[in-house]
PDB file of all heavy atoms in Angstrom:
ATOM      1  N   ASP K   1     -75.011  59.697  57.785  1.00 98.00           N
ATOM      2  CA  ASP K   1     -75.745  58.655  57.061  1.00 98.00           C
ATOM      3  C   ASP K   1     -76.229  57.623  58.093  1.00 98.00           C
ATOM      4  O   ASP K   1     -75.545  56.662  58.438  1.00 98.00           O
ATOM      5  CB  ASP K   1     -74.808  57.977  56.042  1.00 98.00           C
ATOM      6  CG  ASP K   1     -75.467  56.967  55.187  1.00 98.00           C
ATOM      7  OD1 ASP K   1     -76.678  56.706  55.380  1.00 98.00           O
ATOM      8  OD2 ASP K   1     -74.815  56.386  54.275  1.00 98.00           O
ATOM      9  N   PHE K   2     -77.432  57.837  58.624  1.00 98.00           N
ATOM     10  CA  PHE K   2     -77.898  57.047  59.741  1.00 98.00           C
ATOM     11  C   PHE K   2     -78.260  55.597  59.374  1.00 98.00           C
ATOM     12  O   PHE K   2     -78.149  54.702  60.177  1.00 98.00           O
ATOM     13  CB  PHE K   2     -79.119  57.727  60.389  1.00 98.00           C
ATOM     14  CG  PHE K   2     -78.793  59.034  61.054  1.00 98.00           C
ATOM     15  CD1 PHE K   2     -79.402  60.203  60.665  1.00 98.00           C
ATOM     16  CD2 PHE K   2     -77.824  59.098  62.060  1.00 98.00           C
ATOM     17  CE1 PHE K   2     -79.104  61.414  61.284  1.00 98.00           C
ATOM     18  CE2 PHE K   2     -77.518  60.289  62.679  1.00 98.00           C
ATOM     19  CZ  PHE K   2     -78.170  61.452  62.286  1.00 98.00           C
ATOM     20  N   ASN K   3     -78.706  55.413  58.105  1.00 97.00           N
ATOM     21  CA  ASN K   3     -79.062  54.066  57.695  1.00 97.00           C
ATOM     22  C   ASN K   3     -78.071  53.485  56.678  1.00 97.00           C
ATOM     23  O   ASN K   3     -78.372  52.463  56.041  1.00 97.00           O
ATOM     24  CB  ASN K   3     -80.495  54.009  57.138  1.00 97.00           C
ATOM     25  CG  ASN K   3     -80.647  54.861  55.918  1.00 97.00           C
ATOM     26  OD1 ASN K   3     -79.729  55.619  55.516  1.00 97.00           O
ATOM     27  ND2 ASN K   3     -81.796  54.761  55.273  1.00 97.00           N
ATOM     28  N   MET K   4     -76.916  54.103  56.561  1.00 97.00           N
ATOM     29  CA  MET K   4     -75.791  53.560  55.812  1.00 97.00           C
ATOM     30  C   MET K   4     -76.160  53.151  54.396  1.00 97.00           C
ATOM     31  O   MET K   4     -75.750  52.087  53.917  1.00 97.00           O
ATOM     32  CB  MET K   4     -75.153  52.364  56.577  1.00 97.00           C
ATOM     33  CG  MET K   4     -74.903  52.640  58.053  1.00 97.00           C
ATOM     34  SD  MET K   4     -73.871  54.100  58.392  1.00 97.00           S
ATOM     35  CE  MET K   4     -72.218  53.453  58.140  1.00 97.00           C
ATOM     36  N   ASP K   5     -76.889  54.049  53.712  1.00 96.00           N
ATOM     37  CA  ASP K   5     -77.261  53.737  52.330  1.00 96.00           C
ATOM     38  C   ASP K   5     -76.484  54.643  51.360  1.00 96.00           C
ATOM     39  O   ASP K   5     -76.778  54.618  50.159  1.00 96.00           O
ATOM     40  CB  ASP K   5     -78.763  53.908  52.117  1.00 96.00           C
ATOM     41  CG  ASP K   5     -79.284  55.310  52.375  1.00 96.00           C
ATOM     42  OD1 ASP K   5     -78.444  56.163  52.825  1.00 96.00           O
ATOM     43  OD2 ASP K   5     -80.463  55.564  52.184  1.00 96.00           O
ATOM     44  N   GLY K   6     -75.543  55.394  51.870  1.00 96.00           N
ATOM     45  CA  GLY K   6     -74.725  56.259  51.023  1.00 96.00           C
ATOM     46  C   GLY K   6     -75.332  57.647  50.766  1.00 96.00           C
ATOM     47  O   GLY K   6     -74.723  58.443  50.045  1.00 96.00           O
ATOM     48  N   MET K   7     -76.517  57.922  51.394  1.00 97.00           N
ATOM     49  CA  MET K   7     -77.143  59.205  51.224  1.00 97.00           C
ATOM     50  C   MET K   7     -77.208  59.863  52.621  1.00 97.00           C
ATOM     51  O   MET K   7     -77.682  59.230  53.601  1.00 97.00           O
ATOM     52  CB  MET K   7     -78.521  59.093  50.632  1.00 97.00           C
ATOM     53  CG  MET K   7     -78.476  58.525  49.201  1.00 97.00           C
ATOM     54  SD  MET K   7     -80.127  58.465  48.400  1.00 97.00           S
ATOM     55  CE  MET K   7     -80.906  57.155  49.329  1.00 97.00           C
ATOM     56  N   LEU K   8     -76.780  61.083  52.712  1.00 97.00           N
ATOM     57  CA  LEU K   8     -76.699  61.786  54.001  1.00 97.00           C
ATOM     58  C   LEU K   8     -78.081  62.176  54.519  1.00 97.00           C
ATOM     59  O   LEU K   8     -78.874  62.775  53.809  1.00 97.00           O
ATOM     60  CB  LEU K   8     -75.795  63.007  53.903  1.00 97.00           C
ATOM     61  CG  LEU K   8     -74.316  62.736  53.698  1.00 97.00           C
ATOM     62  CD1 LEU K   8     -73.552  64.012  53.419  1.00 97.00           C
ATOM     63  CD2 LEU K   8     -73.723  62.024  54.903  1.00 97.00           C
ATOM     64  N   ASP K   9     -78.339  61.814  55.770  1.00 97.00           N
ATOM     65  CA  ASP K   9     -79.553  62.159  56.448  1.00 97.00           C
ATOM     66  C   ASP K   9     -79.319  63.391  57.332  1.00 97.00           C
ATOM     67  O   ASP K   9     -78.197  63.920  57.396  1.00 97.00           O
ATOM     68  CB  ASP K   9     -80.046  60.977  57.264  1.00 97.00           C
ATOM     69  CG  ASP K   9     -80.107  59.727  56.444  1.00 97.00           C
ATOM     70  OD1 ASP K   9     -80.793  59.708  55.409  1.00 97.00           O
ATOM     71  OD2 ASP K   9     -79.469  58.692  56.822  1.00 97.00           O
ATOM     72  N   LEU K  10     -80.331  63.835  58.048  1.00 98.00           N
ATOM     73  CA  LEU K  10     -80.252  65.079  58.784  1.00 98.00           C
ATOM     74  C   LEU K  10     -81.042  65.038  60.051  1.00 98.00           C
ATOM     75  O   LEU K  10     -82.240  64.692  60.021  1.00 98.00           O
ATOM     76  CB  LEU K  10     -80.729  66.216  57.871  1.00 98.00           C
ATOM     77  CG  LEU K  10     -80.864  67.614  58.464  1.00 98.00           C
ATOM     78  CD1 LEU K  10     -79.484  68.174  58.871  1.00 98.00           C
ATOM     79  CD2 LEU K  10     -81.529  68.547  57.450  1.00 98.00           C
ATOM     80  N   LEU K  11     -80.415  65.395  61.182  1.00 98.00           N
ATOM     81  CA  LEU K  11     -81.109  65.614  62.453  1.00 98.00           C
ATOM     82  C   LEU K  11     -80.994  67.091  62.779  1.00 98.00           C
ATOM     83  O   LEU K  11     -79.888  67.670  62.722  1.00 98.00           O
ATOM     84  CB  LEU K  11     -80.494  64.786  63.558  1.00 98.00           C
ATOM     85  CG  LEU K  11     -81.071  65.056  64.965  1.00 98.00           C
ATOM     86  CD1 LEU K  11     -82.209  64.094  65.271  1.00 98.00           C
ATOM     87  CD2 LEU K  11     -79.949  64.980  66.031  1.00 98.00           C
ATOM     88  N   VAL K  12     -82.110  67.725  63.143  1.00 98.00           N
ATOM     89  CA  VAL K  12     -82.115  69.118  63.596  1.00 98.00           C
ATOM     90  C   VAL K  12     -82.705  69.169  64.994  1.00 98.00           C
ATOM     91  O   VAL K  12     -83.799  68.661  65.228  1.00 98.00           O
ATOM     92  CB  VAL K  12     -82.904  70.023  62.639  1.00 98.00           C
ATOM     93  CG1 VAL K  12     -82.763  71.479  63.091  1.00 98.00           C
ATOM     94  CG2 VAL K  12     -82.425  69.894  61.201  1.00 98.00           C
ATOM     95  N   VAL K  13     -81.970  69.750  65.937  1.00 98.00           N
ATOM     96  CA  VAL K  13     -82.474  69.957  67.276  1.00 98.00           C
ATOM     97  C   VAL K  13     -83.255  71.254  67.322  1.00 98.00           C
ATOM     98  O   VAL K  13     -82.716  72.300  66.979  1.00 98.00           O
ATOM     99  CB  VAL K  13     -81.295  69.973  68.297  1.00 98.00           C
ATOM    100  CG1 VAL K  13     -81.874  70.122  69.728  1.00 98.00           C
ATOM    101  CG2 VAL K  13     -80.463  68.740  68.192  1.00 98.00           C
ATOM    102  N   ASN K  14     -84.498  71.175  67.709  1.00 98.00           N
ATOM    103  CA  ASN K  14     -85.417  72.306  67.734  1.00 98.00           C
ATOM    104  C   ASN K  14     -85.683  72.787  69.131  1.00 98.00           C
ATOM    105  O   ASN K  14     -85.787  72.004  70.071  1.00 98.00           O
ATOM    106  CB  ASN K  14     -86.753  71.971  67.041  1.00 98.00           C
ATOM    107  CG  ASN K  14     -86.564  71.575  65.580  1.00 98.00           C
ATOM    108  OD1 ASN K  14     -85.847  72.269  64.846  1.00 98.00           O
ATOM    109  ND2 ASN K  14     -87.204  70.478  65.165  1.00 98.00           N
ATOM    110  N   ARG K  15     -85.810  74.103  69.266  1.00 97.00           N
ATOM    111  CA  ARG K  15     -86.138  74.674  70.568  1.00 97.00           C
ATOM    112  C   ARG K  15     -87.631  74.513  70.866  1.00 97.00           C
ATOM    113  O   ARG K  15     -88.484  74.915  70.071  1.00 97.00           O
ATOM    114  CB  ARG K  15     -85.724  76.153  70.598  1.00 97.00           C
ATOM    115  CG  ARG K  15     -86.148  76.837  71.875  1.00 97.00           C
ATOM    116  CD  ARG K  15     -85.387  78.134  72.161  1.00 97.00           C
ATOM    117  NE  ARG K  15     -86.010  78.831  73.253  1.00 97.00           N
ATOM    118  CZ  ARG K  15     -85.916  78.494  74.540  1.00 97.00           C
ATOM    119  NH1 ARG K  15     -85.197  77.440  74.881  1.00 97.00           N
ATOM    120  NH2 ARG K  15     -86.523  79.213  75.462  1.00 97.00           N
ATOM    121  N   GLU K  16     -87.909  73.922  72.031  1.00 97.00           N
ATOM    122  CA  GLU K  16     -89.289  73.737  72.543  1.00 97.00           C
ATOM    123  C   GLU K  16     -90.166  72.873  71.662  1.00 97.00           C
ATOM    124  O   GLU K  16     -91.369  72.844  71.828  1.00 97.00           O
ATOM    125  CB  GLU K  16     -89.964  75.107  72.779  1.00 97.00           C
ATOM    126  CG  GLU K  16     -89.300  76.040  73.745  1.00 97.00           C
ATOM    127  CD  GLU K  16     -89.361  75.518  75.198  1.00 97.00           C
ATOM    128  OE1 GLU K  16     -90.132  74.556  75.450  1.00 97.00           O
ATOM    129  OE2 GLU K  16     -88.649  76.053  76.051  1.00 97.00           O
ATOM    130  N   GLU K  17     -89.570  72.140  70.715  1.00 96.00           N
ATOM    131  CA  GLU K  17     -90.339  71.226  69.846  1.00 96.00           C
ATOM    132  C   GLU K  17     -89.509  69.952  69.607  1.00 96.00           C
ATOM    133  O   GLU K  17     -88.280  69.976  69.771  1.00 96.00           O
ATOM    134  CB  GLU K  17     -90.657  71.873  68.495  1.00 96.00           C
ATOM    135  CG  GLU K  17     -91.516  73.100  68.558  1.00 96.00           C
ATOM    136  CD  GLU K  17     -91.775  73.692  67.199  1.00 96.00           C
ATOM    137  OE1 GLU K  17     -92.418  73.011  66.377  1.00 96.00           O
ATOM    138  OE2 GLU K  17     -91.281  74.803  66.928  1.00 96.00           O
ATOM    139  N   ASN K  18     -90.182  68.893  69.241  1.00 98.00           N
ATOM    140  CA  ASN K  18     -89.468  67.660  68.978  1.00 98.00           C
ATOM    141  C   ASN K  18     -88.402  67.876  67.905  1.00 98.00           C
ATOM    142  O   ASN K  18     -88.559  68.696  67.004  1.00 98.00           O
ATOM    143  CB  ASN K  18     -90.455  66.585  68.520  1.00 98.00           C
ATOM    144  CG  ASN K  18     -89.875  65.185  68.711  1.00 98.00           C
ATOM    145  OD1 ASN K  18     -89.502  64.799  69.807  1.00 98.00           O
ATOM    146  ND2 ASN K  18     -89.842  64.407  67.637  1.00 98.00           N
ATOM    147  N   VAL K  19     -87.330  67.111  68.014  1.00 98.00           N
ATOM    148  CA  VAL K  19     -86.298  67.184  66.961  1.00 98.00           C
ATOM    149  C   VAL K  19     -86.912  66.792  65.618  1.00 98.00           C
ATOM    150  O   VAL K  19     -87.927  66.102  65.529  1.00 98.00           O
ATOM    151  CB  VAL K  19     -85.123  66.210  67.301  1.00 98.00           C
ATOM    152  CG1 VAL K  19     -84.487  66.576  68.624  1.00 98.00           C
ATOM    153  CG2 VAL K  19     -85.557  64.786  67.253  1.00 98.00           C
ATOM    154  N   SER K  20     -86.258  67.249  64.565  1.00 98.00           N
ATOM    155  CA  SER K  20     -86.604  66.831  63.181  1.00 98.00           C
ATOM    156  C   SER K  20     -85.551  65.819  62.740  1.00 98.00           C
ATOM    157  O   SER K  20     -84.349  66.080  62.892  1.00 98.00           O
ATOM    158  CB  SER K  20     -86.625  68.017  62.237  1.00 98.00           C
ATOM    159  OG  SER K  20     -87.567  69.001  62.643  1.00 98.00           O
ATOM    160  N   LEU K  21     -85.996  64.711  62.193  1.00 98.00           N
ATOM    161  CA  LEU K  21     -85.089  63.680  61.664  1.00 98.00           C
ATOM    162  C   LEU K  21     -85.504  63.362  60.255  1.00 98.00           C
ATOM    163  O   LEU K  21     -86.564  62.805  59.994  1.00 98.00           O
ATOM    164  CB  LEU K  21     -85.159  62.432  62.537  1.00 98.00           C
ATOM    165  CG  LEU K  21     -84.261  61.267  62.116  1.00 98.00           C
ATOM    166  CD1 LEU K  21     -82.775  61.647  62.212  1.00 98.00           C
ATOM    167  CD2 LEU K  21     -84.546  60.030  62.956  1.00 98.00           C
ATOM    168  N   PHE K  22     -84.658  63.736  59.311  1.00 97.00           N
ATOM    169  CA  PHE K  22     -84.962  63.620  57.890  1.00 97.00           C
ATOM    170  C   PHE K  22     -84.167  62.460  57.276  1.00 97.00           C
ATOM    171  O   PHE K  22     -82.938  62.456  57.361  1.00 97.00           O
ATOM    172  CB  PHE K  22     -84.628  64.897  57.130  1.00 97.00           C
ATOM    173  CG  PHE K  22     -85.424  66.093  57.586  1.00 97.00           C
ATOM    174  CD1 PHE K  22     -84.855  66.992  58.477  1.00 97.00           C
ATOM    175  CD2 PHE K  22     -86.707  66.326  57.117  1.00 97.00           C
ATOM    176  CE1 PHE K  22     -85.534  68.128  58.895  1.00 97.00           C
ATOM    177  CE2 PHE K  22     -87.406  67.452  57.540  1.00 97.00           C
ATOM    178  CZ  PHE K  22     -86.826  68.350  58.454  1.00 97.00           C
ATOM    179  N   ARG K  23     -84.871  61.512  56.679  1.00 97.00           N
ATOM    180  CA  ARG K  23     -84.198  60.460  55.914  1.00 97.00           C
ATOM    181  C   ARG K  23     -84.110  60.871  54.451  1.00 97.00           C
ATOM    182  O   ARG K  23     -85.080  61.252  53.813  1.00 97.00           O
ATOM    183  CB  ARG K  23     -84.990  59.115  56.027  1.00 97.00           C
ATOM    184  CG  ARG K  23     -84.385  58.007  55.194  1.00 97.00           C
ATOM    185  CD  ARG K  23     -84.849  56.624  55.632  1.00 97.00           C
ATOM    186  NE  ARG K  23     -86.305  56.449  55.518  1.00 97.00           N
ATOM    187  CZ  ARG K  23     -86.919  55.734  54.577  1.00 97.00           C
ATOM    188  NH1 ARG K  23     -86.200  55.121  53.637  1.00 97.00           N
ATOM    189  NH2 ARG K  23     -88.220  55.608  54.606  1.00 97.00           N
ATOM    190  N   ASN K  24     -82.913  60.808  53.909  1.00 95.00           N
ATOM    191  CA  ASN K  24     -82.664  61.179  52.536  1.00 95.00           C
ATOM    192  C   ASN K  24     -83.122  60.036  51.617  1.00 95.00           C
ATOM    193  O   ASN K  24     -82.616  58.915  51.646  1.00 95.00           O
ATOM    194  CB  ASN K  24     -81.127  61.400  52.335  1.00 95.00           C
ATOM    195  CG  ASN K  24     -80.815  62.067  51.030  1.00 95.00           C
ATOM    196  OD1 ASN K  24     -81.613  62.053  50.088  1.00 95.00           O
ATOM    197  ND2 ASN K  24     -79.615  62.624  50.947  1.00 95.00           N
ATOM    198  N   LEU K  25     -84.145  60.357  50.816  1.00 93.00           N
ATOM    199  CA  LEU K  25     -84.722  59.365  49.867  1.00 93.00           C
ATOM    200  C   LEU K  25     -84.115  59.453  48.476  1.00 93.00           C
ATOM    201  O   LEU K  25     -84.486  58.706  47.594  1.00 93.00           O
ATOM    202  CB  LEU K  25     -86.233  59.553  49.785  1.00 93.00           C
ATOM    203  CG  LEU K  25     -87.022  59.406  51.106  1.00 93.00           C
ATOM    204  CD1 LEU K  25     -88.493  59.632  50.859  1.00 93.00           C
ATOM    205  CD2 LEU K  25     -86.772  58.049  51.737  1.00 93.00           C
ATOM    206  N   GLY K  26     -83.231  60.435  48.292  1.00 89.00           N
ATOM    207  CA  GLY K  26     -82.621  60.598  46.959  1.00 89.00           C
ATOM    208  C   GLY K  26     -83.489  61.486  46.102  1.00 89.00           C
ATOM    209  O   GLY K  26     -84.654  61.781  46.451  1.00 89.00           O
ATOM    210  N   ALA K  27     -82.959  61.975  45.009  1.00 72.00           N
ATOM    211  CA  ALA K  27     -83.687  62.869  44.137  1.00 72.00           C
ATOM    212  C   ALA K  27     -84.662  62.084  43.282  1.00 72.00           C
ATOM    213  O   ALA K  27     -84.267  61.163  42.582  1.00 72.00           O
ATOM    214  CB  ALA K  27     -82.748  63.662  43.270  1.00 72.00           C
ATOM    215  N   LYS K  28     -85.921  62.447  43.284  1.00 56.00           N
ATOM    216  CA  LYS K  28     -86.929  61.836  42.439  1.00 56.00           C
ATOM    217  C   LYS K  28     -87.329  62.805  41.324  1.00 56.00           C
ATOM    218  O   LYS K  28     -87.056  63.988  41.406  1.00 56.00           O
ATOM    219  CB  LYS K  28     -88.145  61.469  43.272  1.00 56.00           C
ATOM    220  CG  LYS K  28     -87.847  60.412  44.360  1.00 56.00           C
ATOM    221  CD  LYS K  28     -89.104  60.066  45.123  1.00 56.00           C
ATOM    222  CE  LYS K  28     -88.787  59.025  46.215  1.00 56.00           C
ATOM    223  NZ  LYS K  28     -90.012  58.662  46.987  1.00 56.00           N
ATOM    224  N   ALA K  29     -87.959  62.279  40.298  1.00 40.00           N
ATOM    225  CA  ALA K  29     -88.258  63.088  39.122  1.00 40.00           C
ATOM    226  C   ALA K  29     -89.080  64.357  39.519  1.00 40.00           C
ATOM    227  O   ALA K  29     -88.852  65.428  39.020  1.00 40.00           O
ATOM    228  CB  ALA K  29     -89.021  62.273  38.104  1.00 40.00           C
ATOM    229  N   GLU K  30     -90.046  64.184  40.431  1.00 46.00           N
ATOM    230  CA  GLU K  30     -90.888  65.301  40.785  1.00 46.00           C
ATOM    231  C   GLU K  30     -90.235  66.226  41.759  1.00 46.00           C
ATOM    232  O   GLU K  30     -90.716  67.325  42.021  1.00 46.00           O
ATOM    233  CB  GLU K  30     -92.202  64.791  41.381  1.00 46.00           C
ATOM    234  CG  GLU K  30     -92.058  64.038  42.699  1.00 46.00           C
ATOM    235  CD  GLU K  30     -91.862  62.572  42.527  1.00 46.00           C
ATOM    236  OE1 GLU K  30     -91.486  62.176  41.392  1.00 46.00           O
ATOM    237  OE2 GLU K  30     -92.065  61.808  43.483  1.00 46.00           O
ATOM    238  N   ALA K  31     -89.070  65.858  42.313  1.00 45.00           N
ATOM    239  CA  ALA K  31     -88.416  66.667  43.312  1.00 45.00           C
ATOM    240  C   ALA K  31     -87.377  67.589  42.708  1.00 45.00           C
ATOM    241  O   ALA K  31     -86.839  68.435  43.400  1.00 45.00           O
ATOM    242  CB  ALA K  31     -87.760  65.785  44.360  1.00 45.00           C
ATOM    243  N   GLY K  32     -87.031  67.418  41.446  1.00 47.00           N
ATOM    244  CA  GLY K  32     -86.040  68.294  40.837  1.00 47.00           C
ATOM    245  C   GLY K  32     -85.228  67.580  39.790  1.00 47.00           C
ATOM    246  O   GLY K  32     -85.297  66.344  39.620  1.00 47.00           O
ATOM    247  N   PRO K  33     -84.392  68.327  39.064  1.00 43.00           N
ATOM    248  CA  PRO K  33     -83.681  67.742  37.936  1.00 43.00           C
ATOM    249  C   PRO K  33     -82.338  67.094  38.258  1.00 43.00           C
ATOM    250  O   PRO K  33     -81.698  66.544  37.393  1.00 43.00           O
ATOM    251  CB  PRO K  33     -83.431  68.996  37.030  1.00 43.00           C
ATOM    252  CG  PRO K  33     -83.272  70.085  38.022  1.00 43.00           C
ATOM    253  CD  PRO K  33     -84.228  69.780  39.162  1.00 43.00           C
ATOM    254  N   ILE K  34     -81.920  67.148  39.515  1.00 52.00           N
ATOM    255  CA  ILE K  34     -80.589  66.696  39.843  1.00 52.00           C
ATOM    256  C   ILE K  34     -80.657  65.258  40.353  1.00 52.00           C
ATOM    257  O   ILE K  34     -81.233  64.979  41.412  1.00 52.00           O
ATOM    258  CB  ILE K  34     -79.950  67.580  40.934  1.00 52.00           C
ATOM    259  CG1 ILE K  34     -79.905  69.040  40.445  1.00 52.00           C
ATOM    260  CG2 ILE K  34     -78.560  67.131  41.247  1.00 52.00           C
ATOM    261  CD1 ILE K  34     -79.373  69.999  41.450  1.00 52.00           C
ATOM    262  N   PRO K  35     -80.053  64.295  39.643  1.00 68.00           N
ATOM    263  CA  PRO K  35     -80.135  62.907  40.101  1.00 68.00           C
ATOM    264  C   PRO K  35     -79.148  62.646  41.225  1.00 68.00           C
ATOM    265  O   PRO K  35     -78.233  63.441  41.479  1.00 68.00           O
ATOM    266  CB  PRO K  35     -79.676  62.139  38.849  1.00 68.00           C
ATOM    267  CG  PRO K  35     -78.784  63.094  38.107  1.00 68.00           C
ATOM    268  CD  PRO K  35     -79.369  64.450  38.366  1.00 68.00           C
ATOM    269  N   MET K  36     -79.335  61.545  41.928  1.00 89.00           N
ATOM    270  CA  MET K  36     -78.426  61.148  43.040  1.00 89.00           C
ATOM    271  C   MET K  36     -77.230  60.460  42.443  1.00 89.00           C
ATOM    272  O   MET K  36     -77.355  59.536  41.666  1.00 89.00           O
ATOM    273  CB  MET K  36     -79.174  60.252  44.016  1.00 89.00           C
ATOM    274  CG  MET K  36     -78.361  59.860  45.227  1.00 89.00           C
ATOM    275  SD  MET K  36     -77.928  61.255  46.275  1.00 89.00           S
ATOM    276  CE  MET K  36     -79.546  61.786  46.834  1.00 89.00           C
ATOM    277  N   GLY K  37     -76.036  60.929  42.839  1.00 94.00           N
ATOM    278  CA  GLY K  37     -74.805  60.365  42.350  1.00 94.00           C
ATOM    279  C   GLY K  37     -74.289  59.239  43.228  1.00 94.00           C
ATOM    280  O   GLY K  37     -74.937  58.764  44.126  1.00 94.00           O
ATOM    281  N   ASN K  38     -73.054  58.846  42.952  1.00 97.00           N
ATOM    282  CA  ASN K  38     -72.376  57.807  43.735  1.00 97.00           C
ATOM    283  C   ASN K  38     -71.595  58.438  44.875  1.00 97.00           C
ATOM    284  O   ASN K  38     -71.474  59.656  44.975  1.00 97.00           O
ATOM    285  CB  ASN K  38     -71.460  57.000  42.811  1.00 97.00           C
ATOM    286  CG  ASN K  38     -72.223  56.285  41.697  1.00 97.00           C
ATOM    287  OD1 ASN K  38     -73.355  55.865  41.885  1.00 97.00           O
ATOM    288  ND2 ASN K  38     -71.583  56.191  40.538  1.00 97.00           N
ATOM    289  N   PHE K  39     -71.032  57.581  45.739  1.00 98.00           N
ATOM    290  CA  PHE K  39     -70.362  58.078  46.933  1.00 98.00           C
ATOM    291  C   PHE K  39     -69.219  57.160  47.313  1.00 98.00           C
ATOM    292  O   PHE K  39     -69.172  56.024  46.870  1.00 98.00           O
ATOM    293  CB  PHE K  39     -71.346  58.216  48.110  1.00 98.00           C
ATOM    294  CG  PHE K  39     -71.613  56.868  48.771  1.00 98.00           C
ATOM    295  CD1 PHE K  39     -70.961  56.507  49.943  1.00 98.00           C
ATOM    296  CD2 PHE K  39     -72.537  55.978  48.212  1.00 98.00           C
ATOM    297  CE1 PHE K  39     -71.158  55.253  50.526  1.00 98.00           C
ATOM    298  CE2 PHE K  39     -72.747  54.725  48.805  1.00 98.00           C
ATOM    299  CZ  PHE K  39     -72.081  54.353  49.951  1.00 98.00           C
ATOM    300  N   VAL K  40     -68.348  57.659  48.176  1.00 98.00           N
ATOM    301  CA  VAL K  40     -67.488  56.822  48.978  1.00 98.00           C
ATOM    302  C   VAL K  40     -67.491  57.390  50.409  1.00 98.00           C
ATOM    303  O   VAL K  40     -67.667  58.600  50.596  1.00 98.00           O
ATOM    304  CB  VAL K  40     -66.031  56.773  48.458  1.00 98.00           C
ATOM    305  CG1 VAL K  40     -65.934  56.069  47.128  1.00 98.00           C
ATOM    306  CG2 VAL K  40     -65.418  58.172  48.397  1.00 98.00           C
ATOM    307  N   ALA K  41     -67.374  56.520  51.387  1.00 98.00           N
ATOM    308  CA  ALA K  41     -67.316  56.935  52.796  1.00 98.00           C
ATOM    309  C   ALA K  41     -66.063  56.302  53.378  1.00 98.00           C
ATOM    310  O   ALA K  41     -65.821  55.095  53.206  1.00 98.00           O
ATOM    311  CB  ALA K  41     -68.557  56.469  53.542  1.00 98.00           C
ATOM    312  N   VAL K  42     -65.285  57.139  54.067  1.00 98.00           N
ATOM    313  CA  VAL K  42     -63.933  56.738  54.508  1.00 98.00           C
ATOM    314  C   VAL K  42     -63.836  56.775  56.013  1.00 98.00           C
ATOM    315  O   VAL K  42     -64.175  57.788  56.641  1.00 98.00           O
ATOM    316  CB  VAL K  42     -62.862  57.627  53.868  1.00 98.00           C
ATOM    317  CG1 VAL K  42     -61.468  57.167  54.256  1.00 98.00           C
ATOM    318  CG2 VAL K  42     -63.008  57.694  52.346  1.00 98.00           C
ATOM    319  N   GLU K  43     -63.308  55.709  56.578  1.00 98.00           N
ATOM    320  CA  GLU K  43     -62.982  55.652  58.019  1.00 98.00           C
ATOM    321  C   GLU K  43     -61.441  55.505  58.126  1.00 98.00           C
ATOM    322  O   GLU K  43     -60.869  54.614  57.495  1.00 98.00           O
ATOM    323  CB  GLU K  43     -63.669  54.469  58.686  1.00 98.00           C
ATOM    324  CG  GLU K  43     -63.368  54.296  60.148  1.00 98.00           C
ATOM    325  CD  GLU K  43     -64.005  53.044  60.692  1.00 98.00           C
ATOM    326  OE1 GLU K  43     -63.505  51.928  60.366  1.00 98.00           O
ATOM    327  OE2 GLU K  43     -64.981  53.155  61.487  1.00 98.00           O
ATOM    328  N   LEU K  44     -60.837  56.374  58.943  1.00 98.00           N
ATOM    329  CA  LEU K  44     -59.375  56.329  59.104  1.00 98.00           C
ATOM    330  C   LEU K  44     -59.004  55.699  60.425  1.00 98.00           C
ATOM    331  O   LEU K  44     -59.741  55.785  61.413  1.00 98.00           O
ATOM    332  CB  LEU K  44     -58.835  57.745  59.050  1.00 98.00           C
ATOM    333  CG  LEU K  44     -59.009  58.556  57.763  1.00 98.00           C
ATOM    334  CD1 LEU K  44     -58.327  59.876  57.863  1.00 98.00           C
ATOM    335  CD2 LEU K  44     -58.491  57.781  56.553  1.00 98.00           C
TER     336      LEU K  44
END
C-alpha cells in the first residue's frame, strides 16, 4: 500500500522496459461487480 489508503498497489519489475507501477483505485461500477471492502493493516 504505497499511498496508505488501505488498498494494495502493485509494482512489477519488467525486463528491458520501465517498471510498471499500478495505483489501486478501488472497484468502480464499470470495472466489475465486486465492491471494495474494509481493511486492517498490522505492524508488529
Side-chain angles (χ1 to χ4, degrees):
D1 186 357
F2 294 121
N3 61 353
M4 312 306 277
D5 62 355
M7 297 184 290
L8 290 172
D9 309 304
L10 173 65
L11 173 93
V12 184
V13 183
N14 298 314
R15 174 160 170 76
E16 299 292 349
E17 298 179 65
N18 200 55
V19 301
S20 301
L21 180 63
F22 298 97
R23 176 161 61 106
N24 191 342
L25 301 179
K28 298 181 179 180
E30 65 270 18
I34 303 175
M36 184 64 64
N38 299 327
F39 79 99
V40 293
V42 183
E43 179 185 71
L44 299 183

